[in-house]
Amino acid sequence: MTQTRNKRRMLEGVVTSDKMVKTVTVLVTRTYQHPKYKKFVREQSKYHAHDENEEAKPGDRVEIMACRPLSKSKRWRLVRVVAKATQLASIDLGTEGGGDA
């Protein structure tokens, strides 16, 4: 007997960090229209995703899928790398810092 898996939530975002073992941090940006003011709002969220083969690098555009809890913060796993990073400096990774020196 074969069972089909339920449709799982899929998101696409940019890898901001790969400093953990078998884990990447993915920045997902979504745009929606505000119900009252009708202005388009951009919202960003960071997710920790399981990267078994450690194939994603910072700046890569990746696709992640919801899964069972793998650790305290990991609820997503890497499905595939959609596009490799061409130039790290040209992509805003949402890194901290910046400002006056």
Side-chain angles (χ1 to χ4, degrees):
M1 172 160 78
T2 60
Q3 292 182 348
T4 58
R5 205 175 238 189
N6 292 340
K7 188 109 173 140
R8 302 218 176 177
R9 187 168 175 212
M10 303 276 278
L11 296 174
E12 191 172 305
V14 177
V15 176
T16 58
S17 172
D18 67 343
K19 294 179 181 179
M20 295 172 275
V21 178
K22 295 189 178 184
T23 305
V24 291
T25 304
V26 181
L27 182 70
V28 176
T29 304
R30 75 179 193 102
T31 307
Y32 64 94
Q33 189 176 23
H34 191 280
K36 181 176 180 181
Y37 300 112
K38 308 301 182 197
K39 179 179 179 178
F40 285 94
V41 182
R42 184 177 298 138
E43 187 175 82
Q44 293 181 334
S45 299
K46 282 187 176 182
Y47 299 99
H48 291 291
H50 183 68
D51 183 8
E52 182 66 34
N53 302 324
E54 297 187 1
E55 56 195 30
K57 301 295 175 208
D60 291 352
R61 180 159 288 282
V62 296
E63 189 173 41
I64 57 176
M65 174 189 283
C67 67
R68 66 181 176 83
L70 299 171
S71 70
K72 179 182 174 182
S73 60
K74 281 202 296 191
R75 295 337 189 220
W76 299 84
R77 66 180 169 92
L78 182 75
V79 176
R80 66 187 176 107
V81 177
V82 176
K84 286 286 188 184
T86 54
Q87 204 173 37
L88 193 59
S90 67
I91 298 172
D92 178 25
L93 297 177
T95 56
E96 297 173 13
D100 300 353

